[in-house]
């Protein structure tokens, strides 16, 4: 069975500081992992995905994530937070038939 | 290219009333998903379609929920009768196919409030 755990339902960072959002996965097969962002009253937008190619994945808006099999992690990072990064972030793992299993989300607040 | 379109964006109804949500996926996307997103939670799959066939509806509460995808394009999700606990955001997503590495593209969702 596939699942993801997002540690920290709320994360606050200062503008210009490092953003680190944590995601750990559980999967019985090699996983495909995704990070989505959701702005208020909008749908989910793909930031990046891991599909077993390079372990360091670069996405949109300066975000990247590193797949670490030994740690079963896929943490999302951004070197310098911007006010526009304030949103809800979801990690997901895909399973049979491309069914996505989402984490409970992390709300990112950026402090000016 | 247009994204996934959903309507209405917002719906307020009284309990026991019926309600329907409509989704138009990205052109050419064979796989369509309906998700339920409760406040403060991640989306949870309700039903998945491959063309016009519902291939995974194990999480759909069939006593009150129904869905259809006529001609393998647009889809409608219905609740009858609605209950207070159905208040949530209903998201539609689509993908080209059903391979595990394929990206799902999400619509803006329909926010339902049951009074």
């Amino acid at each position: 069975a596939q699942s993801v755990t997002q540690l920290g339902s709320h994360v606050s960072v200062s503008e210009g500081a490092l953003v680190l959002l944590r995601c750990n996965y559980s999967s019985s097969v090699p996983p495909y992992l995704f990070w989505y962002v959701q702005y208020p009253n909008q749908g989910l937008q793909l930031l990046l995905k891991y599909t077993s190619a390079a372990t360091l994945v670069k996405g949109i808006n300066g975000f990247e994530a590193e797949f670490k099999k030994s740690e079963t992690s896929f943490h999302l990072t951004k070197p310098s937070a911007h006010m526009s990064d304030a949103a809800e972030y979801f990690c997901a793992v895909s399973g049979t038939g491309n069914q996505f299993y989402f984490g409970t989300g992390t709300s990112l607040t950026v402090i000016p | 290219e247009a994204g996934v379109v959903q309507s209405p964006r917002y719906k307020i109804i009284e309990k026991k009333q019926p309600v329907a949500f409509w989704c138009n996926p990205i052109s050419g996307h064979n796989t369509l998903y309906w998700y339920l997103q409760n406040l403060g939670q991640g989306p949870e799959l309700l039903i998945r379609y491959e063309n016009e066939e519902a291939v995974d509806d194990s999480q759909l509460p069939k006593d009150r929920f129904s869905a259809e995808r006529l001609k393998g394009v647009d889809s409608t999700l219905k609740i009858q009768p609605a209950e207070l606990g159905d208040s949530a955001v209903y998201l539609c997503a689509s993908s080209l196919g059903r391979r595990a590495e394929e990206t799902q593209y999400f619509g803006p969702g329909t926010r339902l409030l049951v009074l």
Side-chain angles (χ1 to χ4, degrees), chain A:
Chain A
Q2 287 82 15
S3 67
V4 294
T5 301
Q6 291 184 243
L7 296 177
S9 58
H10 293 88
V11 171
S12 294
V13 300
S14 298
E15 190 175 15
L18 172 71
V19 175
L20 171 60
L21 305 181
R22 301 178 184 275
C23 174
N24 288 89
Y25 69 90
S26 173
S27 177
S28 57
V29 296
Y32 297 107
L33 295 157
F34 302 77
W35 274 101
Y36 281 84
V37 61
Q38 186 177 33
Y39 297 102
N41 299 319
Q42 295 187 27
L44 280 70
Q45 179 184 3
L46 179 72
L47 281 174
L48 50 81
K49 66 178 181 180
Y50 168 75
T51 59
S52 73
T55 56
L56 181 62
V57 182
K58 295 186 182 298
I60 62 171
N61 302 337
F63 284 93
E64 63 181 36
E66 185 172 8
F67 173 73
K68 293 186 176 180
K69 184 177 180 180
S70 61
E71 299 177 6
T72 60
S73 69
F74 191 55
H75 301 332
L76 182 70
T77 61
K78 181 174 180 178
S80 177
H82 191 272
M83 295 299 294
S84 61
D85 295 327
E88 190 84 16
Y89 291 81
F90 293 95
C91 181
V93 62
S94 69
T96 303
N98 202 21
Q99 177 173 349
F100 277 23
Y101 298 89
F102 285 89
T104 53
T106 297
S107 177
L108 176 66
T109 300
V110 182
I111 304 168

Side-chain angles (χ1 to χ4, degrees), chain A residues 90 102-105, chain B residues 36-38 40-44:
Chain A
F90 293 95
F102 285 89
T104 53
Chain B
L36 167 68
Q37 185 177 23
N38 286 305
Q41 299 294 317
E44 298 177 358

